[in-house]
Amino acid sequence: MSIRRIVIWIGLLLCLLTTGCNEQKAIVELAEGNAVYYWRTDLRLDSAERAFLGRYHINKVYCRYFDVVMDDATGEPKPNATISFSDTLPDSIEIIPTVYITEDCMHETHEGLAEKIVKRIRQMNETNDIRNVREIQIDCDFTSKSCKRYYQFLKEVRLSLTSHFSPLTSQLSTTIRLHQLAMEAPPVDYGALMIYNTGDPRKWEERNPILDFRDVQPYLRRLEGYPLPLAAAYPVFQWTRTIQGVRVDHTVEAEVILRVKQAMESERSNLSRLIITYHLDKDNIERYKPETYEEIYHH
Amino acid sequence: MKRFIIISLMAAMTLPSIACGWYGTDNYYLFSPYTGQNFKDRVEKICNDNWKAYIGETSDNEWYSFHADDVLKAARKKGDALMVSYVQNLQKYLKCVGVERDKQYEWDYPTKEEIAAQQRDLKAVREYAQGKTNSKLRSQHALLFMRCNMVLGRHQENINFWEQTASQFIETVYKDMMKNIYAGALYKMGREVEAGQLFAEMDDYESLMTLYYKKRSYEAIRQHYMQNPTSKALPWLLTDFVNNAQEAADAITGGGGAVGKQFIRDINNQESLQMQQFCELVVREGKTDYPIMWKMAKAWLEFLVGKKKEAVDDILAAAKLDGTARMKDNAHVLLLYITASQAKPGQALDDYLADELEWLKGKQQEHEWGDAFFDHFENRLTDQVLVPRYRSNPVRLTAISHALDANGSGFDLDTLNVASTEKFLYYVNSPANTKFDKFLKRHIVLNDTAMSDIIGTKYMRLCQWDKAIKWLNTVPVDYYNAHRGKEYLYYSLVRQWDVEPWSQRQWLDASKAWDSDYKWWKQRKLDFCKEMQEMENSLSVLKGKEFEQRCYNLAVRYAQASIYGDCWWLLRNYKSCMDSVRVNEVDLGQKAIQMLQKVAVSSDPVLKRKALFALGYRELYNDVKGTKYWTDWKWEDGESVQIYHRNAPQFLAFQALYEQTGDQPQEDYIRRCDEYDLFRQYYRQHH
C-alpha cells in the first residue's frame, strides 16, 4: 500500500473517531480508485478480464464470497453458493469480501449471524491465502420493514470485525439502492450506491428496468446531503428474461450510463472518487467500447 | 452409498460451477424421444442393491442406502478382510468429500489444516486403492482410486488409467462410474466434444447440462449438428430446446406447474421458427439416424407456437419415419395430444379417445423403472386438453378426472354442484352406453360410502338439511373413524357447535390429537343436520323472545359451521388459512349476520347487546362482498397507516353497542374483547 493511501485511510478513521459524538458528521472523502464487482462462483479470470483490470487501473475487487439465504428446513440463515478460488488476483488489487444476504434473513433477529459471517470470511481468507483484507461489504436489499434489524446487524458485524480483523484496518461498507437514500443512513464507513435496477421490471416497455434517467432524477436531490461517503456502482451487465414468451434483453446504453454519471456527480462531486462497475465478465467487457469504460472510470 | 455423494461430487469437482441450478419442473414435458434413465439415479440404485445383497438385507425397501457400519459388520462376520479395508477407506474418502461440502454450505469453512488433512487422507486412500486394483474387489478399488484422483485434480492420470486399465474391466456399475469420471477428466483437460459424447451415452443429464449450459441455442445446436450429424448429444440438446419452448409457451397460457416457472433457457417464437426450419432440413439431408425425432420436434414446436394445422401434418408424417420404438411412441402420444386438442367434440372424438387412452394405459403398464413419461403425459393431457374440452359436461368431466390421472388444476369434485355429483354417482352405477363410457367406467374406482358423505356434505353446505340427512344416514360412524385423520377426529370430538364463537374461541393443541385414540361413537354430522333441521323448521312458529333466542342460537351454529368457525370440520375435511366460502355453497357467515340482525332489534337488552357484540365479530364478514372491517391498515408513503370505515357494518354494530353500554360495559364477555377495546379507544375520541 502506498504511503498516500495509508494516510488517507488513517485520516478517514480519525475523522470517524473524532466526529463520532457529533450529530452532524463531516463526510470524509473516499480514497480515489477504480473497482469492479466479481459475482461468479469461481474466482477464475480469463485473459480479457485480467487485461481489463490492468487497462482500467482497477485497484479493488468487491468479490462475492457467498450468499446468506434462509434455510427452509431450520428456519435459520445459512451460507450458499460459496466461491471457489481457482485463481488469484494481481497483488496490486485489494479484494473486498462481499456477502449478499437475502432480505428475508432480516425479518427476524438471528443471534450470532454477524459473528458467523465475519468468522467465515476470515477463515476463507486464511484457508485460501488471501491476505491484506481490510474491508468487507454487505449487500442486502433492505426495506423499511427490515431496515432497523439490518442496521443492528451491521453494528454487530462491525463489532465482530474488530475482534476478527485488525481494528485499525477493518472497514465496513454496504450497498445502498437509490430508494434507500430516503432512509436513515446505515451504520457503516461508506455506502456503495447501486445505480442500477432502478425501474419497475413490469414497466419495461416504458423504461429500462436496469437504468433510466427518469428513475434516477427524483433521487438526485438526496445526494448532496446524504450523510455517508458514497462510492458509485454503474451497471455494465445484461439482463435477459422472457416476457409473455418473448425474449427480452435489457442492457443500458453507454450514453445513459454516462448521462446519469454526469448528473449524479454534478449533485455530489465526490461521487467520482470511487467508481465500481457491476460486474467483471468477458461479455460485459465486450459490451461497451473502451472509450465508454474510460468515461465511466473518469474521476 | 451416501445419497448422490459420488455423482454430486463429480458435478462439483469435474465441471465448472454454474450459478443457476438446474431443476426439474412439474410441468410435464411431452417431447421425450429416449428412455434413458438418469445416470445418477441408475447407478445409485444398483450400488444400493449391491450393498443390500452383501449385508443380506432382504426387505423390499427401495430406499435402502449405504451405512458403512452395517457393511463392516457383515464383512467381519464373513471374514472378508478386503471388504473391511475397502469400506474403511471409502469412509475416509467420503469424509474428505464432506470437507468440500462444508466449503459450500456450512458456517465452519474448513481450515488450512483441515484441507491439508483432507489432501493427505485422499493421497493415502488413493495409494491404498491403487495397490488393490488387482485384487478380488478390483473394480471397487479402481473406482476409489479414480475418485481420489478426481478430487485431487489428477485428471490426466485418470484418463491414462481408464484408457490403459479400467476400460478393460468387466461390465459393472463401478466401471460405469469410472467411465463417468473419465468423461469428467476429458472435459477438465479441454476435450469437451469427447466428454459430451460419453455423458450423452451414459444419460448423465446433470453433466450434459453443465457442459452445454451456454450451448443450447438454435445456433449452437445447428453448429453441433454440422460438426457431427449423428452426435450422441444431439437428442439431449434437441429435447432440451423443445422442452424449453414448451416452458415458454406455458408461461403465456399459464398452463405450467403449480410451483412456478423455472426457466432453463428462454425460447422465443423466432428462435422456435428457426429450429422448425432446421428440423425439416435435417430430415431432408438424411444424415441423421433418427428422422422421426427431428420431424416430431418440428411438429411439437409448431403446435406450441399455434401452427396447429402444420403440427398435425408434420406429426402424421413423423409417425412414418425411422426411429426407435420410444420415438414412435412419443410421436404417437404427440399425435393424440395435438389431435385431441383441436378435434370437434362429438362421438368421433369420444371413440378415438377411448381407443387411444386404452393404448396409453397399456403403455403405462409396460414402462421401465423410473420412466414416468406415459403417466406424465396422461396427467397433462387430462389437465390441459380433456378437462377444458368436457367442461360443459360435468358428469363426463367428473368421470374423466376419476378415470385418468390429473393434477386437479382443472377440476375439483369438492366444488362440483351437488346435482351433478348425484348424477355422476348414478352414471357410474348404471350400464355404459358408449365406447368412451365403457373405457371410463372400467377405470373408475369409487367408494359409494365416500360419495354419500360427499353429497350429504354438499347439501349441508347449502343448508338443505333434509337432503343431507338422507345421504348421511347411509354413512356409518366407522367410515369417519377409518377415513379421517387423527387431527380431524380430535377437533370434531372436542369442538362444540353451540359455543358462541364471538365470546369464546375453542383453541386446541393439534399435537394432543395423538394423545388418545379419538373415535366417533355418533354420526356427528348427522346429529348436527338433525338439530339444524328441527331448529329451522320450528322457527316460524316461535314468537317474541323465544324467536329471538332461536335466531341467536341458529346464528351461533351457522358461524361455527362456517369455514371461519371452530366447527369447520362439519363441512370440510380439512381447513387452510387460505380457505374461503366456495362456489355452490351458502355463506354461513352471512346467514349468521341475517339471524343476528333480527336479534339486534330485540327489546331484551341482554340479548340485544349479545347480538350487537356478535355483529362486531369480524370472521362473519370475511366473504361478504364489498364489506370492510371497521378498521384496517394501508400503505402510504412507505408507512403503514391505520384507517377507519365508519360505515362498515362492524363499526355500526360496535357503535350501537357502545351507545347501549357506555364506555364501561358491565358484561365480562364485552370487556375481555381486545377488538372492542380498540374500538372504544377510538370512538371515545371520535364520536
Side-chain angles (χ1 to χ4, degrees), chain B residues 131-378:
Chain B
K132 301 287 182 192
T133 49
N134 287 319
S135 69
K136 195 177 73 175
L137 297 175
R138 73 185 60 177
S139 294
Q140 287 94 324
H141 283 93
L143 173 62
L144 187 57
F145 171 67
M146 287 186 75
R147 284 173 171 170
C148 293
N149 280 340
M150 175 178 70
V151 184
L152 289 165
R154 300 167 86 141
H155 304 300
Q156 187 56 51
E157 207 166 327
N158 269 347
I159 292 171
N160 297 341
F161 181 73
W162 170 262
E163 289 174 352
Q164 289 159 20
T165 310
S167 58
Q168 316 296 321
F169 284 10
I170 55 161
E171 297 304 320
T172 60
V173 68
Y174 313 109
K175 186 177 175 185
D176 288 349
M177 290 155 82
M178 283 189 269
K179 192 175 176 183
N180 192 271
I181 296 175
Y182 166 67
L186 289 175
Y187 175 80
K188 275 283 178 187
M189 300 307 287
R191 292 162 65 181
E192 287 188 17
V193 176
E194 292 164 85
Q197 296 301 299
L198 287 170
F199 285 138
E201 213 173 84
M202 287 182 267
D203 299 317
D204 182 352
Y205 307 136
E206 278 83 356
S207 297
L208 283 168
M209 179 57 80
T210 310
L211 188 63
Y212 292 110
Y213 191 70
K214 288 190 172 177
K215 296 172 187 164
R216 297 178 295 144
S217 64
Y218 150 71
E219 187 51 37
I221 295 172
R222 191 186 68 80
Q223 281 177 20
H224 193 115
Y225 170 86
M226 301 305 262
Q227 282 158 12
N228 181 5
T230 55
S231 161
K232 288 171 183 151
L234 275 170
W236 183 85
L237 285 167
L238 185 62
T239 303
D240 175 77
F241 185 96
V242 176
N243 291 338
N244 280 305
Q246 183 181 315
E247 290 273 11
D250 283 347
I252 300 169
T253 59
V259 295
K261 297 280 102 185
Q262 289 169 329
F263 271 103
I264 302 160
R265 219 185 72 77
D266 308 334
I267 310 284
N268 62 22
N269 280 7
Q270 191 194 346
E271 196 175 1
S272 171
L273 183 67
Q274 287 171 322
M275 183 56 95
Q276 290 163 35
Q277 289 164 348
F278 181 66
C279 287
E280 189 59 45
L281 181 83
V282 172
V283 174
R284 277 205 211 122
E285 274 195 346
K287 291 179 187 166
T288 175
D289 295 334
Y290 307 121
I292 186 175
M293 178 179 76
W294 292 92
K295 193 76 171 177
M296 70 180 179
K298 183 187 176 207
W300 187 231
L301 288 171
E302 285 167 335
F303 180 81
L304 292 171
V305 298
K307 292 159 67 179
K308 306 233 166 133
K309 188 185 172 306
E310 291 90 333
V312 173
D313 293 345
D314 279 320
I315 197 66
L316 284 168
K320 294 174 192 153
L321 296 173
D322 284 342
T324 63
R326 170 51 169 250
M327 289 174 188
K328 287 190 177 287
D329 284 343
N330 196 174
H332 193 145
V333 300
L334 286 175
L335 176 62
L336 166 55
Y337 193 94
I338 292 170
T339 310
S341 64
Q342 44 194 319
K344 283 188 182 154
Q347 191 65 44
L349 174 63
D350 289 354
D351 289 351
Y352 170 71
L353 284 175
D355 289 339
E356 288 298 299
L357 291 171
E358 202 60 78
W359 171 83
L360 182 66
K361 291 281 183 193
K363 282 286 159 193
Q364 287 170 344
Q365 300 298 319
E366 289 171 16
H367 81 271
E368 290 174 32
W369 186 88
D371 176 21
F373 172 66
F374 294 103
D375 299 335
H376 290 168
F377 171 74
E378 179 182 304

Side-chain angles (χ1 to χ4, degrees), chain B residues 350 353-354 357-358 361 393 395-404 422-448:
Chain B
D350 289 354
L353 284 175
L357 291 171
E358 202 60 78
K361 291 281 183 193
N393 184 344
V395 172
R396 178 61 65 74
L397 181 66
T398 312
I400 285 170
S401 68
H402 275 77
L404 298 168
E422 282 183 281
K423 278 185 200 157
F424 169 65
L425 186 59
Y426 176 76
Y427 164 86
V428 173
N429 291 321
S430 55
N433 294 323
T434 68
K435 206 173 177 182
F436 195 30
D437 286 337
K438 277 182 194 156
F439 164 80
L440 292 171
K441 289 184 187 193
R442 227 181 356 261
H443 294 281
I444 290 174
V445 180
L446 210 61
N447 177 335
D448 279 359

Side-chain angles (χ1 to χ4, degrees), chain A residues 276-290:
Chain A
I276 317 170
T277 55
Y278 181 89
H279 56 104
L280 181 65
D281 188 86
K282 192 182 168 203
D283 293 341
N284 295 338
I285 294 169
E286 288 167 0
R287 181 160 299 116
Y288 297 99
K289 291 177 189 162

